[in-house]
Each structure stands twice: as C-alpha cells, then as structure tokens.
Amino acid sequence: MARIPELMAARGHGPHRPRIACAAAAAAALAFALAGCTVGPDYVAPHLALPAAYAEHPGGASGVAGVAGVTVAGNATAATPAAGLDAWWKNLGDPVLDRLIDDAAQSAPDAAEADARVREARARAGIAGAANWPAVDVGGQYARTHGSANVPVGVQPGGLGRGANGNLYQAGFDASWEIDVFGGTRRSVESADASYAAALASRGDAMLTLDAEIARDYVELRGAQRRIAVAQTDLANQRDALALTRAQFDAGLASRLDVLRAQAQVNDTESDIPTYEADARAAIYRIGALVGRPPEALVAELDAPRPIPAPVADVPVGLPSDLLKRRPDIRAAERNLAAANARIGVATADLYPHFSLTGAAGLESLDASSFLGLPSRYMKIGPGIQWLIFDAGKVRFEIRAEQARTDAAAAAYRRTVLGALRDVETALSSYGRMQVKRAQLANEVAADRDAVVIATRLYRQGLTDFLPVLDAERALHSADDKLAQTERDTALALVALYKALGGGWPERGDDALAASASASASASAASSASAASSAPE
C-alpha cells in the first residue's frame, strides 16, 4: 500500500499525489504520536494477606504433634527426593498407579477436553493479535446490464442509458487497516493472552483433579482388597475355632450353643466379603472410565491384590504463600482477573475515534477486449475516521459492565485462595489424625490377637467356656477391619493433601505459562511494530 501514490503519479495521476500523500502522512504521524496511549486501567496483581504458616502443620498452633511424613520446608530437599518430583503420585511408590496415570494423560476424556480448551484459547489469542495487521481481500465479478427506460443515465444497476445493454468486468483488491491509536486492540490482545494463560492453568487443574481421582479410586480398590484379605484371615481363624468347638462338643466338653455361636461368627464374617468384592469392582470400573477405557478392560490387570499405597518420602508442605504458585486453580483465577481488567480498556476505546487507512486498486471495463489494458486500472487510498457521538450511553454501560465483571473476577480470586487455604488445613488435619488413629489401631489389633490366643488356650484346657473366645475373635475382626479402613483413609488423606497443595514440585505448568506469556508479549509487540511500519509515507 505504501507504493500506491507513486503508481498513481507514474500513470498520469500526479496532481492528486500531494493531497493523498499529505493525508496519509498526517494519519501516520497521528498514529505514531498517540501510539503509547492505551486507555483503561493497567493491571496490578492482587495482594492478599496470607498467614505466615499453616495452623495444622506439625508443631503449629493446632497441629498434631509428632506427625510423620510432613515437612514444613517450602521445597523438597535431598532428604525427600521423591516428593520433589512433579509427578506427585510417584511418592506413593506404586508402579501400577504410575502406569494408570500415565495412560490417562494420553487417553482420558477429561485430558482431551482440557487440551481442546487450551487450543481454543490459543486460537482466540491469535484472532486478537491479527487485528494489528491490515486486512486485504481480492475479488472479481462480471455483470450483464440492461438500462431501464424510466431512470436517467448513470443510475445503477443499468447505468448505461434507457434500454442500453452492456457488460461490466471488474477485478481488484481492497485493503483496510485500523490504527490502534487508543490501545483498544492492544487491550484485546492483553485480555486474550491472559485468557490463554488461564486456559493453560485450568488444564493443569483438570489434570491435577484427574490424577487425584484416579489415585483416590486406586486407594479405594486396594483398601477393599485389604479388607477382603483381613476378612479371609479372620475367617480362617474362626473356622479353626469352629472345628475346635465341634471337637469339644463331640467329646462332651462343649455345649451345642458353643457350636452355634461359632458357626454364626463364621457366617457373619463370610457375609462381609461379597460387599468388599463389590466395592473393589466398582473402584476398578471408575478407574477405567477415568483413564478412558471400557469399565471391564482393567479387571484382569487390577484384580490381583496389592498393598495400600503409602508415601516413600515426606511431603514438603511449604508456606501458605507458596499456594499462589502451586495451585493451578489460583493461577487460573488470577489470569482470569487480568483478562477481565484488560477488557475494560477494550470497552473504553469505543469512547474515542477510530482511525483507519483504506485502499483499493484493480481493473474495470465495459469491454472484455480492453479489460487488461492500462486505461482500465483504478485505485483509491486515504485515511478515515469514525467516532460514535451518540449511543444513548451504550459504551459507558458496557464499561460499567466490564468493571463489574472485573470486580467479580477479583472476588472469585479471593474465594479461590481462601478455599485453597481451607483445603490444605483440612487435609493436614485429616492426614495427621489418621496417622495417629492408625498407630492406635495397630496396638489394639496386637492386643486383640494376643487375647484370642490366650482365650483359645484356656478353652482348650477347659479352664473357661467358649464365650471369651467368641468375644476375643469378634474384637479382633472388628479391630482388623478398622485398621484396614484407617490405612485406606490415611492414604486418601495423603492424596487429598497433595491435591490441596497443588500437586508436585516444582510447580506444574509454571515454566510453560511463563514461556507462553513471554511469547505472546513478543508476538503482540512485533505485530504492532510491523503494522506501524507498513503505514504509507
């Protein structure tokens, strides 16, 4: 477009060159003079007052003293290598779980949906950046005309005179470029880049949630299998007691009532096992759906019992301020706030004039034989201005709406941060107390097991009746089952703690977000510079 005035002068249009060149130069000079003017508020990252430490960490104000497996250091150290992995689930030390989560990253519907949203946000950022460049379109047409007898010469679409027939051949291009004088386009790019960063963070949150749900269901599966194993072990002991009671009854040393009680105890324990088996199958089916496989596809792989996952290293809890970087939902909320703030500037720019440069060039003829000749050429170029002077307050209302949306985004950010603090405190409390409960139940199981041995020995020797044996076996089975449930709940609390803290360390997605933001800023600056440099001289 910069050479079009020169072409006009070379083809016999010299008298028009000074006016066109001066108008274009004036528009370009105005654009450069106001290039640094960007309306709307500049974004300032929110600052929230956060506590210096968690109340529930070991040694804290209300924490559980002596809880193992949790460190307060902000980053993993050499003493806790596994916890320093970004793949936080690897700290549970279960290769089957590792494989399931790796598979989910490739085939899970949730992962595919999150990836699609990132691609959409990236495309929208590209759309916003494209507004910095001129728009050029090329077209051509042929029309057969017949002049009306009731209109004067020159009135379209006939135009050639009353009853006159003719042809019209046209081909050319149109170009337009809106100069971003008041920064509306720059604010639009800023908003789109922030939305893209928010989409990346939201993908991290979706993957964190997916990984945590798979880990939870996997722990539920292993917990159900552990309860089955406990029930089968206790059932074997109870059957031995039933056989002993029958032998005592056959020898006349026990009553029929003792045999019936022992049989009832066996039947009661047997009735628990189908429930645990159903729980295990349900967990497998849930895992299959999360990973992206048919529910029954994992039955053969996961039916074999394995221990309940337990941490192989301490969990570095860090400080509350670390959550602002660790939690992807907080990062997403902050970027959504930045995007909303930039949209205020987009709306404010409509209060001011819109400057543009437009141009057109092509060929036009009534005769196909002369269509490609030099006399058929035409062109035009010039600056334009458009300023909305009355809209009944529509633009100002839109600015107020964007300000309200920004206030809502700020409130959502604050709510997200407070919710994250709540999640961590709750998870720390649950994990610490589950560990204490597990230790106490382990002692109870050991005591109940000794009680069964002693009661059975006394019963064999005829020094007591069968009731103490029955009571001891019931107490042992109950404590065994509670211990299995507590081991499962402890592992679930650990998964919840990892999820509340935002996953592994270093923070997932931080490097990608930083690189994306830098690339987007560079692309936006390059777009603005290239568009400005292409202005006619």
Side-chain angles (χ1 to χ4, degrees):
M1 289 180 60
R3 297 188 58 200
I4 290 179
E6 299 176 7
L7 293 175
M8 292 178 64
R11 300 303 182 184
H13 298 277
H16 301 282
R17 181 181 178 186
R19 284 176 290 175
I20 296 175
C22 289
L30 180 62
F32 285 121
L34 298 177
C37 178
T38 304
V39 296
D42 292 331
Y43 178 68
V44 178
H47 176 73
L48 297 181
L50 299 178
Y54 294 111
E56 292 288 345
H57 72 68
S62 59
V64 180
V67 176
V70 175
T71 60
V72 186
N75 296 305
T77 64
T80 58
L85 296 174
D86 185 34
W88 57 267
W89 56 88
K90 292 184 180 295
N91 193 33
L92 296 177
D94 193 306
V96 177
L97 176 60
D98 297 346
R99 185 167 60 253
L100 290 172
I101 293 182
D102 289 343
D103 291 346
Q106 306 298 324
S107 59
D110 289 354
E113 180 182 4
D115 289 340
R117 294 191 183 280
V118 169
R119 294 197 303 272
E120 177 189 2
R122 184 186 298 120
R124 292 191 180 280
I127 293 172
N132 284 313
W133 293 84
V136 180
D137 60 82
V138 178
Q141 69 170 352
Y142 161 76
R144 175 69 175 174
T145 61
H146 176 79
S148 171
N150 297 320
V151 296
V153 177
V155 177
Q156 298 296 328
L160 298 180
R162 299 181 176 184
N165 296 321
N167 300 308
L168 178 62
Y169 301 88
Q170 289 181 320
F173 72 89
D174 298 314
S176 64
W177 177 36
E178 182 174 345
I179 305 171
D180 189 27
V181 175
F182 295 101
T185 301
R186 292 193 292 275
R187 290 300 191 194
S188 179
V189 172
E190 179 185 341
S191 176
D193 287 344
S195 296
Y196 174 46
L200 285 173
S202 296
R203 181 193 183 279
D205 187 47
M207 295 306 298
L208 174 62
T209 301
L210 174 63
D211 297 342
E213 286 302 311
I214 293 175
R216 281 183 57 85
D217 287 332
Y218 186 80
V219 170
E220 293 278 4
L221 166 64
R222 299 311 181 193
Q225 291 175 341
R226 172 79 173 110
R227 296 184 74 183
I228 293 173
V230 166
Q232 290 174 339
T233 300
D234 291 341
L235 181 60
N237 295 332
Q238 292 166 7
R239 284 172 174 167
D240 290 342
L242 175 60
L244 173 62
T245 306
R246 284 174 174 167
Q248 294 285 78
F249 174 73
D250 292 340
L253 301 177
S255 66
R256 177 67 177 170
L257 179 60
D258 292 344
V259 175
L260 294 176
R261 284 175 173 175
Q263 184 63 58
Q265 176 73 2
V266 169
N267 293 339
D268 182 63
T269 303
E270 285 178 335
S271 67
D272 290 335
I273 295 178
T275 300
Y276 305 152
E277 291 174 340
D279 291 342
R281 283 300 176 93
I284 293 176
Y285 297 150
R286 291 196 300 270
I287 293 172
L290 289 171
V291 172
R293 298 186 189 179
E296 71 280 0
L298 296 176
V299 172
E301 179 181 353
L302 299 180
D303 241 359
R306 287 184 61 87
I308 297 175
V312 298
D314 292 348
V315 180
V317 175
L319 302 177
S321 58
D322 295 336
L323 287 181
L324 301 182
K325 294 182 179 180
R326 286 182 177 176
R327 291 268 299 220
D329 57 339
I330 294 179
R331 296 200 301 269
E334 188 274 333
R335 290 290 84 199
N336 284 330
L337 174 57
N341 183 81
R343 286 193 292 270
I344 298 176
V346 176
T348 304
D350 288 335
L351 290 174
Y352 300 91
H354 290 259
F355 297 91
S356 61
L357 291 176
T358 59
L363 300 172
E364 186 176 57
S365 177
L366 299 178
D367 190 349
S369 62
S370 62
F371 177 65
L372 298 179
L374 291 179
S376 296
R377 71 191 186 281
Y378 71 90
M379 69 177 303
K380 65 177 180 178
I381 184 173
I385 181 173
Q386 184 177 9
W387 196 350
L388 182 65
I389 61 174
F390 179 75
D391 64 352
K394 177 182 177 181
V395 172
R396 287 176 171 82
F397 283 129
E398 182 62 29
I399 294 172
R400 293 178 186 176
E402 293 298 345
Q403 290 171 337
R405 294 187 185 105
T406 302
D407 292 341
Y413 174 77
R414 184 170 181 269
R415 182 184 66 242
T416 303
V417 173
L418 293 176
L421 292 172
R422 174 206 62 206
D423 292 345
V424 175
E425 296 286 12
T426 302
L428 282 171
S429 175
S430 178
Y431 183 53
R433 284 161 176 79
M434 283 297 103
Q435 288 182 304
V436 173
K437 181 178 180 180
R438 181 179 60 182
Q440 293 171 343
L441 282 173
N443 293 333
E444 180 183 351
V445 168
D448 286 338
R449 188 167 285 113
D450 290 342
V452 169
V453 172
I454 293 173
T456 302
R457 184 183 303 120
L458 293 176
Y459 180 66
R460 285 179 181 273
Q461 296 174 356
L463 300 178
T464 184
D465 58 16
F466 185 68
L467 185 58
V469 177
L470 186 64
D471 290 341
E473 288 182 341
R474 286 175 177 171
L476 175 60
H477 178 60
S478 176
D480 259 342
D481 188 59
K482 287 181 180 179
L483 178 59
Q485 293 181 62
T486 303
E487 290 173 348
R488 175 203 63 194
D489 293 343
T490 302
L492 291 176
L494 178 61
V495 172
L497 177 58
Y498 270 121
K499 184 175 184 293
L501 291 172
W505 299 269
E507 296 82 7
R508 175 183 296 201
D510 275 1
D511 294 338
L513 288 177
S516 171
S518 176
S520 298
S522 300
S524 299
S527 298
S528 300
S530 299
S533 64
S534 64
E537 299 177 354

